[in-house]
Amino acid sequence: MLREEVAVSTRTLQWKCVESRIDSKRFYYARFVLSPLMKGQADTIGIAMRRALLGEIEGTCITHAKSEKIPHEYSTIVGIEESVHEILMNLKEIVLGSNLYGTCDASICVKGPGNITAKDIIAPPFVEIIDTTQHIASLTEPINLCIGLQIERNRGYHMKTPNNAQKGSYPIDAVFMPVRNTNHSIHSYGNEKNEMLFLEIWTNGSLTPKEALHEASRNLIDLFLPFLHAEEQDIDLEDNQRGVTLPFFTFHDGLTKLKKNEKALKSIFIDQPELPSRTYNCLKRSNIHTLLNLLNKSQEDLLKMKHFRIEDVKEIVTVLQKKHFVKNFPKNKLSI
């Protein structure tokens, strides 16, 4: 009995791609297998991976269209075959890939007559248009059409909020999920004591299924890492119920000279100071992408973030000082 337990515990899991195909620029498919697993493990991994693939991977979308000449979303424009609403729906279907942090601007400026497609979008070099043939609008007369676009990188599905729309700016529902569908199946063998997990992944072309699988796996590991340090997170429940008042600390303190140059801060991304991966991922998930975003946060703001600890705040200060990004931090305000 003891030998059998040792043999099982030392098995090496192996995975491989058993099938892959590209149906179009916007439709990739692959099937992977993971084995050998003990009974029950395949379902545990399959359910977790499915949720991570659909909800934890970032994608890039057009989230706003801007034009002062368009009176409202449901209007029509002389010389354009589609209504404004139809144009916005076509913009929603455009698939983009990028390593963008936050948002950036793009535009469309075309003179008719002719068809406008995704290839007519003028975007920054770090934004890739996956399918340039995606139709946007048809101009039937020699008119000029100029539309400003906002491109954003995020995750999940964001429904537009009309209440936040400004004059001439129209929000667009954003499907940031590069994985369009995924499912898993289980094959039992060895008198049903062992299992093989089959995982199918369909993507929109901005990521290959293999890339999506790797990114989802990394994100899952990041989510579970705090449990490995659970003994460091012991909290007195009585103190927690009474509430703990944290001393206020803002990264603006002692930054009078640095703060004057906000352009420089905007161009320094949080991966440049080489922060610990756990801290970096916490900041990224909270949409903190640049040093300016970080320095605008107080200690209280940071500690409200999921899985963020006071040790992480101290680590950030230490790294920034060591790398000479920031000097003269008020260290005495960091203790709690």
Side-chain angles (χ1 to χ4, degrees):
M1 184 66 177
L2 183 59
R3 284 182 190 170
E4 184 179 350
E5 289 177 355
V6 172
V8 169
S9 65
T10 56
R11 290 183 304 177
T12 301
L13 293 177
Q14 295 182 337
W15 72 276
K16 63 179 179 179
C17 180
V18 294
E19 182 184 357
S20 66
R21 65 174 184 267
I22 301 176
D23 294 331
S24 69
K25 291 181 179 179
R26 300 167 58 184
F27 202 82
Y28 285 44
Y29 167 82
R31 185 161 66 113
F32 305 91
V33 62
L34 176 68
S35 68
L37 297 164
M38 291 185 288
K39 189 172 180 63
Q41 289 181 335
D43 206 32
T44 301
I45 298 173
I47 292 172
M49 285 303 303
R50 184 179 188 277
R51 294 185 66 87
L53 284 163
L54 293 174
E56 297 296 328
I57 301 179
E58 292 186 341
T60 307
C61 290
I62 297 172
T63 55
H64 280 81
K66 306 172 186 177
S67 179
E68 296 179 355
K69 296 182 179 180
I70 300 176
H72 58 82
E73 181 179 343
Y74 297 99
S75 63
T76 57
I77 301 175
V78 176
I80 301 180
E81 189 174 310
E82 292 82 2
S83 66
V84 174
H85 179 72
E86 289 172 328
I87 294 174
L88 294 177
M89 291 301 99
N90 290 336
L91 290 172
K92 176 184 174 181
E93 295 299 318
I94 293 174
V95 177
L96 302 173
S98 77
N99 56 359
L100 171 69
Y101 289 101
T103 63
C104 71
D105 294 327
S107 63
I108 299 173
C109 288
V110 179
K111 183 176 181 179
N115 291 325
I116 302 176
T117 62
K119 72 177 181 180
D120 296 308
I121 296 176
I122 304 171
F126 50 80
V127 176
E128 178 188 4
I129 301 170
I130 303 302
D131 183 6
T132 58
T133 63
Q134 168 64 39
H135 179 73
I136 298 175
S138 298
L139 304 185
T140 58
E141 297 184 13
I143 62 171
N144 292 320
L145 178 64
C146 290
I147 302 175
L149 304 174
Q150 184 182 75
I151 297 174
E152 181 179 346
R153 182 175 172 86
N154 212 317
R155 61 181 180 175
Y157 176 78
H158 291 198
M159 186 176 293
K160 65 181 179 181
T161 52
N163 293 335
N164 294 335
Q166 300 176 352
K167 184 178 180 181
S169 177
Y170 302 93
I172 300 172
D173 289 345
V175 183
F176 291 107
M177 301 178 290
V179 176
R180 292 306 191 214
N181 192 21
T182 179
N183 61 46
H184 73 279
S185 58
I186 301 168
H187 172 68
S188 299
Y189 65 97
N191 294 326
E192 298 191 353
K193 291 184 178 180
N194 299 313
E195 294 179 338
M196 298 175 66
L197 171 66
F198 289 90
L199 189 65
E200 294 180 289
I201 301 174
W202 291 263
T203 71
N204 64 1
S206 61
L207 286 178
T208 66
K210 183 178 179 181
E211 290 170 337
L213 185 62
H214 286 176
E215 187 166 340
S217 300
R218 285 196 299 267
N219 290 340
L220 263 184
I221 291 170
D222 289 340
L223 289 173
F224 284 107
L225 275 177
F227 292 109
L228 296 178
H229 308 286
E231 69 280 357
E232 301 174 10
Q233 304 283 341
D234 293 336
I235 298 175
D236 190 328
L237 292 179
E238 293 183 1
D239 289 342
N240 194 39
Q241 289 173 353
R242 289 194 299 266
V244 179
T245 303
L246 297 174
F248 183 77
F249 168 76
T250 173
F251 284 99
H252 277 310
D253 294 341
L255 298 179
T256 306
K257 293 182 180 179
L258 186 62
K259 186 181 174 184
K260 290 180 180 179
N261 194 358
E262 291 196 357
K263 287 186 178 180
L265 296 178
K266 287 180 180 178
S267 64
I268 302 175
F269 295 104
I270 58 171
D271 58 343
Q272 290 176 250
E274 298 180 8
L275 296 170
S277 59
R278 200 186 75 82
T279 305
Y280 168 77
N281 288 321
C282 283
L283 295 174
K284 187 179 178 184
R285 280 195 292 268
S286 299
N287 292 321
I288 298 175
H289 304 294
T290 66
L291 193 55
L292 181 62
N293 298 148
L294 178 60
L295 298 177
N296 282 334
K297 297 292 182 180
S298 67
Q299 173 178 296
E300 189 174 14
D301 293 332
L302 294 175
L303 293 176
K304 286 179 181 178
M305 297 189 318
K306 195 173 182 180
H307 306 314
F308 212 82
R309 308 167 301 173
I310 186 62
E311 289 81 3
D312 299 319
V313 178
K314 295 177 180 179
E315 182 68 28
I316 288 174
V317 175
T318 301
V319 171
L320 293 181
Q321 287 179 323
K322 185 177 180 182
K323 298 292 182 179
H324 305 292
F325 282 99
V326 179
K327 296 180 180 179
N328 302 321
F329 272 95
K331 296 182 180 180
N332 60 319
K333 294 188 179 182
L334 284 173
S335 59
I336 59 171

